[in-house]
Amino acid sequence: MGAKRRLPHFDDLVFLGASMTRYPLEGYREKCTTKTILGTRYAKKPLELEIPITIAGMSFGSLSANVKEALGRAATAVGTSTTTGDGGMTPEERLSSKTLIYQCLPSRYGFNPDDVRKADAIEIVVGQGAKPGGGGMLLGQKINPRVAEMRTLPEGVDQRSACRHPDWTGPDDLTIKIQQLRELTDWEKPIFVKVGAVRTFHDVKLAVHAGADVVVVDGMQGGTAATQTVFIEHVGIPTLAAVRQAVDALEDMNMKGEVQLIVSGGIRTGADVAKAIAMGADAVSIGQAILMALGCNSETYVQKGTHHSAIEDYAAIGTAPGYCHHCHTGKCPVGVTTQDEILEKRLEPEVGARRVKNYLQTLNMELTTIARACGKQNVHHLEREDLVALTIEAAAMARLPLAGTDWIPGVQPM
Amino acid sequence: MECVTFDLAQTPLRAVNHYLHHNLTQTGGQAIEILNPDGAHNIAVGLNASVEVKILGHAGYYAASMNQLANVTIAGNVGTGVAENMMSGRVHVKGFASVSAGASAHGGLLIIDGDASLRCGISLKGADIVVGGSVGSFAAFMAQAGRIVVCGNAGEALGDSLYEAVIYVRGEIKSLGADARIEPMSEADYATVAELLAKAGFSHNPQDFQRVASAKQLYHWNADAVTSDSAFQ
Ligand code: SF4
């Protein structure tokens, strides 16, 4: 789970819809395009997505194979991408995903050149917003024979994921590592670099300097089931602050538009998506909220079209729907984060795919509703000028004027 | 055997790698020579055919990385990450290797005639590595599976946080890393060392090697052990 305490968030911003100074589009009639192209800098085959909302990397091992398949199907249905995770690529997710991003993580569990060649883009994960600088721990109870085999480790062992890559140590090395992956794939596939939000201005500059086609910035509201609360709550900066720094870095390098920016960490609604894009992101990536859409914490699960109560199963592990935080046990009552043969079946791929598809479509409709109200025929035309902040903290972090004023804290008036 | 020669002083690396990816027959029977590597990075990355490749000189980072099936010989020294993530085949470095040699390699055999620097075999996932000389500190850090034979000495923190990989060392070990321990050699260990030495072309006596493997104390999270860094002593 992501940071739980109140942090400055996209909720602290509002859009200035059209009125006299801007002209709106008709909400249900006029077109508003959401097409999004990622990886135009060097790759021969950039990704063409129908919507600017992608599914973030979540590991097979942490999630069940059914869930991975459901995510692939949902992403394909709405024309977006999904991402592997710290556990390798499963055949199910490759088959079900039209556009699949393959993560190259420090642990390199299950990483292999065959899957690199099968991927549509490669994401070098330097860090995660929930735990920048940290590795991970998948507890032994989730390591069934298939997970163990994919990770080349014994069953039942607590699996530590490294916090840094084994074969490069800094941005100069990363330049050569990126070139290696390009050589392997004949310069066809975009290379993403994902960083946890910390010193974002400089980190984004270094990632661009190293040759990234796309930079992914993950804020501290990003979820993870693989680290300590003290880490989640006290390391990293909020997504809102990170977006502004990332865009500043691209603008400072004159790379805005040439290198695309994906923002993640606590994105839940179409309004969040619209605000991230207005601030300068090219797309967003969603993890935690996708799990909620799949049925995390719901009272029931659906099997063969029938709802079954999971309340007793929540009680058995000492929790209840709405309060569950037991992903690490592998006993997920609704089959999302489990490797248990029986529990896994509680999330049927078709059911999960339908829910996630509905969720992504809803986000996209919310996004275009806002964009039209701001007078945009293309969601990528949303701009910072369309936003103001409701709190001084958000105004300072996002460097946007406080609503009703032209005051941007920390910025001298012209 | 048909031999194709590339001169990296004349032909761009991209053209050479493109040829290696698209113009080799999967059934083998081809030999490739690469002249004037001059420390270039990413030479012969991602080969996936049973061919002989000779790099005649020093190579930079990630030489022969992600190799599958090919037999690559480098007549010189190599930079960071030689044979990184190799899946199968054989990579032979006739000189010295820089850091992270054989990092996260899943299969195949990596031979380094000279010394290997820091973190040799880091995150190893099943390949075999034979080092004719010594290895630097943190060799086999978090190595999960596979075997490493070190004919010379080992630096500090050898085998730190090992899983199932096993290291055999002929010379001195400066220090062992967290959770690594020296274990008695069994007949199977002597046979393994003899087999790997023979494959690598070294004639040392297997009886001179000692075995380093995981004590498995870090296999399961132990909250009682966490008062300080003592958990990792
Ligand atoms: S229901 Fe509980 S165990 Fe399952 S994904 Fe949600 S929080 Fe994790």
Side-chain angles (χ1 to χ4, degrees):
Chain A
M1 304 290 164
K4 285 189 192 55
R5 65 208 165 93
R6 174 81 178 90
L7 293 166
H9 192 265
F10 291 115
D11 280 349
D12 301 321
L13 308 180
V14 286
F15 277 100
L16 303 174
S19 52
M20 287 296 284
T21 45
R22 295 284 171 104
Y23 191 67
L25 298 189
E26 182 62 54
Y28 297 99
R29 307 223 178 263
E30 290 182 281
K31 275 212 161 98
C32 178
T33 179
T34 55
K35 203 168 233 355
T36 301
I37 315 260
L38 301 173
T40 52
R41 188 183 186 190
Y42 293 118
K44 285 187 211 157
K45 294 184 178 168
L47 303 187
E48 289 191 23
L49 307 180
E50 296 303 323
I51 62 172
I53 309 163
T54 65
I55 301 179
M58 292 178 279
S59 75
F60 168 66
S62 162
L63 305 184
S64 72
N66 278 359
V67 167
K68 294 299 280 177
E69 183 182 337
L71 298 183
R73 288 191 193 198
T76 302
V78 296
T80 190
S81 60
T82 185
T83 313
T84 63
D86 198 358
M89 182 190 287
T90 64
E92 293 96 325
E93 71 182 330
R94 178 59 280 186
L95 278 172
S96 61
S97 316
K98 177 169 175 280
T99 307
L100 182 61
I101 298 162
Y102 188 35
Q103 288 192 326
C104 175
L105 289 129
S107 71
R108 304 288 167 83
Y109 288 141
F111 192 76
N112 68 69
D114 289 334
D115 287 343
V116 175
R117 284 185 279 254
K118 281 184 209 149
D120 299 292
I122 301 146
E123 179 170 296
I124 300 176
V125 179
V126 180
Q128 235 180 296
K131 47 174 181 174
M137 170 83 87
L138 188 62
L139 293 178
Q141 53 261 44
K142 293 183 79 167
I143 316 298
N144 71 9
R146 184 174 176 192
V147 176
E149 195 192 327
M150 280 181 75
R151 297 181 178 220
T152 336
L153 284 165
E155 271 178 60
V157 163
D158 295 343
Q159 298 187 350
R160 289 161 281 159
S161 295
C163 65
R164 52 181 192 260
H165 284 261
D167 58 338
W168 60 272
T169 51
D172 292 338
D173 289 3
L174 177 58
T175 304
I176 307 167
K177 181 75 197 170
I178 287 175
Q179 193 199 359
Q180 178 212 28
L181 294 166
R182 287 198 209 288
E183 282 298 319
L184 176 68
T185 56
D186 293 315
W187 290 68
E188 288 186 346
K189 297 162 206 273
I191 310 285
F192 295 16
V193 174
K194 176 174 175 174
V195 294
V198 280
R199 298 168 185 85
T200 309
F201 180 75
H202 299 293
D203 289 343
V204 168
K205 280 192 155 189
L206 288 174
V208 171
H209 180 72
D213 292 298
V214 175
V215 181
V216 185
V217 172
D218 192 24
M220 75 178 284
Q221 289 104 322
T224 180
T227 196
Q228 311 91 319
T229 302
V230 69
F231 209 151
I232 294 172
E233 299 288 344
H234 299 281
V235 185
I237 64 171
T239 307
L240 182 64
V243 184
R244 184 58 201 247
Q245 286 202 332
V247 175
D248 282 353
L250 292 177
E251 288 176 348
D252 199 53
M253 298 177 89
N254 212 13
M255 281 291 185
K256 182 88 182 63
E258 185 159 353
V259 172
Q260 284 82 38
L261 173 68
I262 299 180
V263 167
S264 56
I267 308 254
R268 314 140 306 170
T269 66
D272 293 345
V273 180
K275 289 168 187 174
I277 289 175
M279 285 189 68
D282 294 280
V284 301
S285 198
I286 305 186
Q288 184 82 54
I290 294 277
L291 300 186
M292 301 307 289
L294 280 164
C296 160
N297 266 301
S298 59
E299 289 181 4
T300 59
Y301 59 91
V302 180
Q303 266 182 329
K304 295 196 172 65
T306 309
H307 280 268
H308 301 269
S309 172
I311 291 175
E312 276 181 24
D313 298 288
Y314 280 105
I317 54 173
T319 184
Y323 298 93
C324 185
H325 189 186
H326 285 60
C327 313
H328 59 286
T329 63
K331 297 197 168 105
C332 176
V334 288
V336 176
T337 55
T338 181
Q339 299 301 319
D340 180 282
E341 263 178 54
I342 295 169
L343 294 174
E344 183 186 25
K345 293 200 175 67
R346 294 185 177 182
L347 199 289
E348 294 173 350
E350 316 80 66
V351 176
R354 195 168 60 246
R355 288 172 169 175
V356 173
K357 174 174 155 267
N358 287 345
Y359 173 58
L360 291 173
Q361 281 175 331
T362 305
L363 291 187
N364 203 48
M365 285 167 73
E366 289 175 345
L367 165 64
T368 51
T369 299
I370 287 174
R372 286 194 189 92
C374 292
K376 318 290 184 186
Q377 290 175 319
N378 181 332
V379 294
H380 297 290
H381 295 165
L382 286 165
E383 56 195 318
R384 283 201 291 265
E385 206 277 328
D386 292 319
L387 290 169
V388 290
L390 296 177
T391 68
I392 293 172
E393 285 84 356
M397 284 187 193
R399 249 163 301 124
L400 292 169
L402 191 65
T405 78
D406 56 5
W407 178 48
I408 302 174
V411 175
Q412 296 295 327
M414 300 289 272
Chain B
M1 186 186 280
E2 185 196 347
C3 182
V4 179
T5 302
F6 290 101
D7 184 347
L8 274 180
Q10 309 285 332
T11 310
L13 175 75
R14 182 76 287 270
V16 176
N17 280 339
H18 187 273
Y19 180 92
L20 295 173
H21 293 166
H22 300 284
N23 298 80
L24 300 176
T25 56
Q26 292 297 312
T27 49
Q30 268 177 292
I32 313 291
E33 264 186 0
I34 299 174
L35 311 179
N36 293 310
D38 204 18
H41 303 308
N42 299 313
I43 303 174
V45 165
L47 294 187
N48 192 12
S50 163
V51 288
E52 298 279 330
V53 177
K54 286 201 172 75
I55 301 171
L56 299 172
H58 305 309
Y61 282 43
Y62 307 120
S65 55
M66 314 244 186
N67 186 49
Q68 288 166 292
L69 302 170
N71 183 3
V72 183
T73 305
I74 302 155
N77 303 327
V78 290
T80 297
V82 63
E84 180 263 333
N85 221 90
M86 173 165 60
M87 304 301 290
S88 62
R90 186 174 184 272
V91 175
H92 186 171
V93 179
K94 298 240 169 173
F96 296 85
S98 184
V99 299
S100 303
S104 72
H106 290 245
L109 173 66
L110 168 63
I111 304 158
I112 298 159
D113 286 355
D115 299 331
S117 182
L118 307 176
R119 304 189 298 272
C120 176
I122 183 171
S123 292
L124 192 70
K125 298 206 169 21
D128 292 322
I129 302 178
V130 182
V131 181
S134 300
V135 292
S137 299
F138 280 96
F141 179 52
M142 287 180 101
Q144 295 173 217
R147 303 168 295 186
I148 302 177
V149 174
V150 181
C151 300
N153 305 319
E156 288 177 1
L158 177 71
D160 195 293
S161 305
L162 271 180
Y163 285 95
E164 301 286 290
V166 178
I167 314 163
Y168 301 99
V169 185
R170 179 163 164 267
E172 287 175 12
I173 297 168
K174 199 158 187 194
S175 67
L176 291 172
D179 208 30
R181 69 178 179 196
I182 294 173
E183 296 180 343
M185 292 281 284
S186 67
E187 285 310 313
D189 290 313
Y190 289 124
T192 297
V193 173
E195 175 211 327
L196 290 173
L197 288 172
K199 279 188 183 166
F202 297 117
S203 54
H204 303 294
N205 183 352
Q207 301 284 337
D208 297 340
F209 286 78
Q210 39 184 348
R211 173 190 159 100
V212 175
S214 174
K216 304 189 179 180
Q217 297 298 308
L218 294 178
Y219 271 33
H220 296 282
W221 175 244
N222 177 4
D224 295 337
V226 189
T227 48
S228 66
D229 273 0
S230 62
F232 305 103
Q233 297 300 306

